[in-house]
Every structure is written in structure tokens, then in C-alpha cells.
């Protein structure tokens, strides 16, 4: 695994395809290529912008916890879809305005009505 553009990346080296020793050697060669090209970065330090907004490494996205109509809700904005800073700002906006936020969620019926 390596970090690039503040995101965890991985590349498989399949033992079934290459055999154990060749797969290990290819993995070591790839790691050296990453070092030479300067693509290896340290794990990013994550700062939480406000209470209730945090980075979830399992989903690789920013999670927003908020209350709506007396009930707790949560939304995850993934880094893969919105980018690191975009997902962070969407999570903050959703917590500040839990009804609409920046990207409101629509039911299937509402989406069909909007398409007509």
C-alpha cells in the first residue's frame, strides 16, 4: 500500500499468476520505482473541521453526523467521488444544514417527478 494524493492505493501481485518468488520480486521492484519517482507519501494527518464531522478510513470518505426531526442521521461523502476537499466541505455543509445541505437526497418518486 502507498499514499498518493492523500488517498490509499494498492496494486496486486498475484501469486497464482506469477508464482511466489516472482510476485515478491515484482512487488519489491514496483516499490523501488515508487521511491525513485517520488510517489511515496506519508499517511495524511486528518484534522476534523468541527465536532460531528470526521474522516472514516474504512469507507475512505468524510462522515457527517447530524440530527433531523429529533433523530440521528449520518451521511458519508467518499473521496473517490468528490475528492478529498470536496467531500470534506460537503460533510460540513450537510451538518450545518441537515435538511438540504449542498446535495439534497431525493426519493425515487421525487426523482421521477423532476425528470418529467
Amino acid at each position: 500500500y502507498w499514499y498518493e494524493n492523500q488517498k490509499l492505493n494498492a496494486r496486486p501481485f498475484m501469486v497464482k499468476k506469477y508464482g511466489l518468488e516472482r510476485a515478491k520480486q515484482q512487488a519489491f521492484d514496483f516499490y523501488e520505482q515508487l521511491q525513485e519517482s517520488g510517489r511515496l507519501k506519508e499517511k495524511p494527518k486528518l484534522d476534523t473541521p468541527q465536532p460531528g464531522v470526521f474522516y472514516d478510513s474504512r469507507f475512505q470518505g468524510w462522515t457527517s453526523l447530524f440530527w433531523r426531526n429529533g433523530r440521528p442521521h449520518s451521511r458519508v461523502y467518499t473521496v473517490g467521488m468528490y475528492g478529498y476537499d470536496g467531500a470534506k466541505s460537503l460533510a460540513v455543509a450537510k451538518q450545518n444544514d441537515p435538511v438540504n445541505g449542498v446535495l439534497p437526497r431525493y426519493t425515487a418518486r421525487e426523482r421521477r417527478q423532476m425528470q418529467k
Side-chain angles (χ1 to χ4, degrees), residues 86-99:
K88 185 176 179 181
S89 63
L90 285 172
V92 169
K94 186 63 174 179
Q95 190 183 37
N96 292 339
D97 184 12
V99 176

Side-chain angles (χ1 to χ4, degrees), residues 7-8 11 13 16 25 28 31-32 35 39 44 48 52 58 66 69-70 75 82 84-85 90 96-97 113-114:
K7 189 176 176 194
L8 181 66
R11 180 175 173 194
F13 297 96
K16 186 174 182 179
Q25 188 58 44
F28 286 128
Y31 185 79
E32 289 174 0
Q35 279 182 328
R39 290 175 55 193
T48 57
R58 182 174 174 202
F66 57 93
N69 297 330
R75 295 288 181 266
Y82 301 108
Y84 184 82
D85 292 326
L90 285 172
N96 292 339
D97 184 12
Q113 289 175 352
M114 290 187 329

Side-chain angles (χ1 to χ4, degrees), residues 36-55:
E36 290 171 2
S37 63
R39 290 175 55 193
L40 283 179
K41 308 287 185 216
E42 290 193 21
K43 185 175 180 177
K45 293 176 179 50
L46 305 171
D47 58 328
T48 57
Q50 62 190 40
V53 176
F54 59 92
Y55 184 79

